[in-house]
Amino acid sequence: MAVTINKKFGSPMSNTSLKVSSVAVLGADNASILDGNGNVLQLGNDPLAFNVSADKPQANIPMLDFGEEQYVNGVKFKRVVNGAGVSRYRIPEGTQIKSRPGGTSYDSVATSAVVLCSIDIPAGAIANGEYIDVTVTWNCPAQFGSAGTFQVYFGSTANLIQRASSGVSTSTSMAATFRISAREVNQMDLGSVSAGALVSLSTSGFAVSTGLTTNRKINTQAPFTISVVHQFSTADSAGRSVTANAVAVINTSVPSESSASNYVDPRKRPFNKNSFWNTPLSATAVLQSASDVETAAFRVNNAGQLFWGGGSVNVFQASESDPLETWFYASRADSSHYWPFPDTSQLSGTIKMRTPANIQAAASGADNNIALFSPDGRWYIEAWHYTAPANDPLGLGRHTCSSFTVHDLYGYGWPQINSDTAYTSLGTNCGVRAGGGPLLPGLVRQWEIDAGKIEHALVMILSLGKQKKTATIGVSQNASALPSVNSGGTGYKPGDVVQLVGGTGQPAEFTVTSTTVATGAVTGIWPSNTGSYTVSPGTTGLSTTALSGSGTGLTVNVTILSSTDRSTSRVWPATNVDGAYGNYAGAVPVGALFAIPPSQSVGAIFTGSISGGVLTVTAMTNGTIMAGQTVAGTTISSQSSGTTGGVGVYVVASNSVSVAAGPMYSAGLSLSSRESVVYALAIQQYGIYNMDSAPNPTSSLFLCGEDVSVETQSLVMGRLNGVMYNLYRVASVMVMVRNNAPGMPGGYGPRLVDPSDGPYPLF
């Protein structure tokens, strides 16, 4: 068996210190570890100390500098530094790990399963965006004939990757290939090395099983073993013996941050490229209609009540030359997430960190928020109710705050949030937002408006009157009581949405997260809407009806929570609701994702010119040009040539309008400015999350950083006589996304747009 490991910036480093035990047998029993030139590597005696985050995505940054090279049970890790100066370790390109032999299958027993060989993958061998190409080779000198079943699995036989059953084969050898990829939470995903079947065989006479119930979520930050098995009976294996072997080759072929021409620094667009904040909406996301309960509740009474939030958080960059100053925090929002400082109490603590001399809290609002980037660009520190040293209550000259959280800018964007989300009734706070997360993601920055493209989801604050009330019962989404599949039905696809049948009230909804290949039977669901009932629908074997797709027959088991359980007022990715939840009086869950439908004409940012009633577009920056949009005081009538909605020639209504070649924009929705088109396109392409609450009756749909000018704010909002007309026009077409769920943010399937490259996760 051969394994090829493709690396980018990974390391096996993982805030508690532990010793990683890879695989003791590496290098023994004819197994070997080779470098890129085929040379056998020496075996190391001292495993590295890993810096482990309690969050599923692990930090993988060494607590100490172990020098340029270290060996972990024979696997060499080499220190590298990225463009931001962040240091971590990776396995050099070309490293090979060969399998250790097992047994040889004979006909000595009536029914048997012999492990022919195994390959042990060390912890941290692959990280996000990296993959392992596996080749398994079987040999049977006497020909395979009808020699039984050949299996490859992880950990246990329940986790089958591949199963091939021989018909009558005259072959004496065969090989299978497959790929293991580490996705956004460092869990294994399986795919074919090339297009086609999950596993491809290089010989005929074998039938490859499909729809296997493989556990596709092996933790790649822990050691794991791939086993190759021959399962046979006496008749199958009479007169034959079968052996197998395997190898792992490590490659560093994924581009680095510094080499990507469209790379966005996480200090400008927080968090890694796999974060739900930075994931575009699916082109086929399942959307509500205007009359659906949550969308209708969002749209009601918006005239004159939509505002903006600017300057609510000041952002600072620390440097190594800044003084090392003392900070006191009254509490940490959550003691289990990223923490790059020496261990201190969750209740209160004191730390020292590099602090700019000009640091001050945001003037807007009463929260006195501060955001600070660490000198190496790795960490984002958030302080709430900040007080400057001159106002230290004890007169000790400290920077003080009520709450203090730390976020990994290369992380997922919300500690505790990943595809294995551990929701609880009480919720988890990892930042200042009511939804439990940080302030920085979702804010619009001036550089994005200037560039004509916002490549991340936005955040909004809805009034208490719009937030979903808790005065009714609903379906649990807590980790200890998640809904489960009772009977999987047939014909479903991942991303389908079903609605619960029965009970009295607003029905709960579930997103299908996994199905079998062969029949489309549902194997996994997620509660994307907890519902709101006055009479319970029941708990076991409940019927569903499809809101999208063509599946039938799915029944589910649920736990019903009481009307006092506030967790029914939120949906993924929110982990909490704020203390004012008792005043929630609407239907929009905290964490709900809203978007402008893809078919809605919004506008475009482009380079072009107008002359003689003709608009000539030579380059596109963002959006889609459509008939009916306004441009330079006239209206686009039709497109006469070129790429639909893009570069090409268009007819405009007026022959008298003349515009020299240069930057231009077109607008739908009667939007009044280029800035408002850029804002609206972000909601159409990435969506906007309800993550905070505000006193009645106002809601804020445009939250921006302190760098956004007052002029830009006015142009986005379309402020006239105290009414934010552009915000109202955008809100009038927004709908809630039905299938926003862990593992498929913004819906399932191909994305609406291709984003610029962000940082790869460091774990």
Side-chain angles (χ1 to χ4, degrees), residues 313-316 356-363 368-371 386 388:
V313 55
N314 283 352
V315 182
F316 298 89
N358 64 336
I359 195 169
Q360 59 181 356
N368 295 329
N369 299 312
I370 276 184
Y386 168 81

Side-chain angles (χ1 to χ4, degrees), residues 144-193:
F144 287 104
S146 55
T149 301
F150 299 88
Q151 301 174 342
V152 183
Y153 62 81
F154 291 93
S156 72
T157 54
N159 298 332
L160 280 172
I161 306 167
Q162 182 261 3
R163 181 173 60 233
S165 301
S166 63
V168 177
S169 175
T170 58
S171 299
T172 58
S173 69
M174 68 172 179
T177 58
F178 56 91
R179 176 166 291 175
I180 303 168
S181 299
R183 299 306 185 194
E184 81 271 3
V185 292
N186 278 319
Q187 291 180 333
M188 179 189 73
D189 193 12
L190 294 173
S192 176
V193 174

Side-chain angles (χ1 to χ4, degrees), residues 516-575:
T516 62
V517 175
T519 65
V522 176
T523 56
I525 56 175
W526 182 263
S528 43
N529 191 327
T530 60
S532 181
Y533 295 92
T534 54
V535 176
S536 172
T539 59
T540 304
L542 306 180
S543 298
T544 65
T545 183
L547 296 179
S548 66
S550 56
T552 58
L554 170 65
T555 60
V556 300
N557 306 319
V558 302
T559 298
I560 299 296
L561 299 178
S562 72
S563 60
T564 60
D565 195 310
R566 62 184 182 180
S567 69
T568 59
S569 291
R570 68 174 188 259
V571 293
W572 185 88
T575 55

Side-chain angles (χ1 to χ4, degrees), residues 370-518:
I370 276 184
L372 178 65
F373 297 138
S374 62
D376 64 1
R378 170 76 195 278
W379 304 102
Y380 154 52
I381 294 96
E382 186 173 281
W384 179 56
H385 285 173
Y386 168 81
T387 301
N391 299 318
D392 181 351
L394 297 182
L396 300 177
R398 306 167 300 174
H399 301 265
T400 63
C401 59
S402 297
S403 179
F404 190 92
T405 60
V406 181
H407 302 275
D408 185 353
L409 284 170
Y410 287 76
Y412 193 56
W414 204 292
Q416 305 295 332
I417 291 292
N418 47 59
S419 61
D420 291 324
T421 304
Y423 278 6
T424 64
S425 292
L426 294 178
T428 300
N429 276 322
C430 306
V432 172
R433 295 282 181 215
L439 287 168
L440 200 59
L443 297 183
V444 176
R445 309 297 291 273
Q446 184 69 49
W447 73 271
E448 298 171 313
I449 295 288
D450 294 342
K453 185 182 292 187
I454 300 170
E455 296 183 293
H456 58 79
L458 306 186
V459 65
M460 62 181 174
I461 301 173
L462 295 187
S463 66
L464 294 173
K466 292 182 183 294
Q467 306 284 8
K468 184 180 178 182
K469 60 185 177 183
T470 59
T472 56
I473 59 178
V475 169
S476 170
Q477 58 180 338
N478 299 330
S480 60
L482 282 170
S484 62
V485 175
N486 179 275
S487 177
T490 60
Y492 294 93
K493 296 179 296 184
D496 284 349
V497 178
V498 300
Q499 191 175 75
L500 200 60
V501 174
T504 302
Q506 176 63 19
E509 296 177 9
F510 307 96
T511 295
V512 174
T513 57
S514 61
T515 63
T516 62
V517 175

Side-chain angles (χ1 to χ4, degrees), residues 504-736:
T504 302
Q506 176 63 19
E509 296 177 9
F510 307 96
T511 295
V512 174
T513 57
S514 61
T515 63
T516 62
V517 175
T519 65
V522 176
T523 56
I525 56 175
W526 182 263
S528 43
N529 191 327
T530 60
S532 181
Y533 295 92
T534 54
V535 176
S536 172
T539 59
T540 304
L542 306 180
S543 298
T544 65
T545 183
L547 296 179
S548 66
S550 56
T552 58
L554 170 65
T555 60
V556 300
N557 306 319
V558 302
T559 298
I560 299 296
L561 299 178
S562 72
S563 60
T564 60
D565 195 310
R566 62 184 182 180
S567 69
T568 59
S569 291
R570 68 174 188 259
V571 293
W572 185 88
T575 55
N576 210 347
V577 298
D578 64 7
Y581 71 92
N583 295 317
Y584 290 2
V588 182
V590 176
L593 176 64
F594 279 73
I596 297 174
S599 59
Q600 174 65 52
S601 175
V602 170
I605 311 298
F606 54 87
T607 301
S609 61
I610 298 178
S611 179
V614 174
L615 165 65
T616 302
V617 177
T618 57
M620 292 293 296
T621 298
N622 195 11
T624 303
I625 302 171
M626 294 185 181
Q629 292 176 357
T630 59
V631 57
T634 186
T635 303
I636 298 172
S637 302
S638 63
Q639 183 173 4
S640 55
S641 65
T643 303
T644 302
V647 171
V649 177
Y650 299 79
V651 177
V652 297
S654 174
N655 289 324
S656 61
V657 173
S658 179
V659 178
M664 300 183 67
Y665 76 94
S666 61
L669 291 175
S670 299
L671 298 175
S672 63
S673 67
R674 172 188 179 276
E675 289 76 5
S676 62
V677 171
V678 176
Y679 161 77
L681 284 171
I683 296 177
Q684 186 174 56
Q685 296 166 355
Y686 289 84
I688 183 168
Y689 283 96
N690 170 32
M691 287 299 185
D692 223 333
S693 64
N696 291 324
T698 61
S699 298
S700 296
L701 262 65
F702 174 53
L703 301 183
C704 57
E706 83 291 347
D707 60 326
V708 177
S709 68
V710 173
E711 179 185 11
T712 296
Q713 293 176 24
S714 294
L715 290 169
V716 168
M717 295 180 293
R719 180 165 45 193
L720 180 64
N721 298 326
V723 177
M724 315 303 169
Y725 282 100
N726 288 335
L727 298 188
Y728 179 72
R729 290 163 184 145
V730 168
S732 69
V733 295
M734 285 168 50
V735 295
M736 194 173 89

